[in-house]
Amino acid sequence: MKKTHLHIVTYNIHKGFSQFNRHMMVHELREQLRALGADIVFLQEVQGMHERHAEAIANWPEEPQHDFLAEDVWQATAYGRNVIYDHGHHGNAILSRYPIVHAHNQDVTHLRFERRGLLHCSIKLPEEPPLHCVCVHLSLFARSRRRQMDALAQYLEDIAEAESRLIIAGDFNDWRNEADELLAQRLGLSEVFAGAGGDANAPGRSYPAKLPLLRLDRIYVRGLSVASAAVHSGSPWSKISDHAALSAHLLRKRR
């Protein structure tokens, strides 16, 4: 069997604005994501439409942010609209260099004022069965997060075989690291920083981006081994969003 690499990134992009919404940074964001050269990108707080920003900001992209970011680099995109308001909407997105053969946005809202969804994509890698990818942005409240992780586990147990390859990435808002017990053990997942030789109970620190202290963002994998994992914090990342980006190089076996 020949081993090949798969490079992935997860990033809460704060709707394309810097911390405290001082500056629109979606153009700088696109440059930095392209510089990383990932195969699959998991994005949270993606602005699908915002009519007021489009009118007020001169260089606001005409297309939805996920399409603007993906243009000419990631051939396939999926977007899950979660939060809807009069002038627009935002949610999660997945960008992929490989074909997305199926996409589904699962509503896991627990509190009416905090709309949440889980974006699931099946991605067709060359000469291999589809890879299951889920982009998540979980609740700020522990009780809601637990319910959402249970809903995610139930969904994947229903639609994916237990031995299938799986990546779950995004903003877990899980500073207590409950996902290890509630989700990872249940689905047979490994957290990438632990898989890269770190502490199993110490995922990468990702918030705030300037000097990360909290372990809010995660990448979990199944059926893939971890070659390396990195936190992208400090300048220029801290000027783009309030979160740091996480990346991982994974190894997969081609049959």
Side-chain angles (χ1 to χ4, degrees), residues 82-84 108-116 141 144:
N82 297 329
V83 185
I84 304 171
V108 290
T109 299
H110 179 223
L111 302 171
R112 287 189 301 171
F113 61 84
E114 192 189 43
R115 307 293 304 182
R116 301 292 182 181
F141 302 95
S144 295

Side-chain angles (χ1 to χ4, degrees), residues 167-201:
I167 302 172
I168 304 175
D171 181 356
F172 279 71
N173 277 314
D174 179 33
W175 53 86
R176 299 178 180 178
N177 197 22
E178 293 182 323
D180 181 66
E181 179 180 353
L182 299 178
L183 186 69
Q185 293 180 26
R186 179 171 172 179
L187 294 176
L189 301 166
S190 299
E191 194 275 322
V192 296
F193 286 89
D199 184 343
N201 294 315

Side-chain angles (χ1 to χ4, degrees), residues 120-133:
H120 167 241
C121 291
S122 295
I123 296 177
K124 186 66 176 73
L125 302 179
E127 302 177 11
E128 294 184 8
L131 169 70
H132 293 284
C133 294

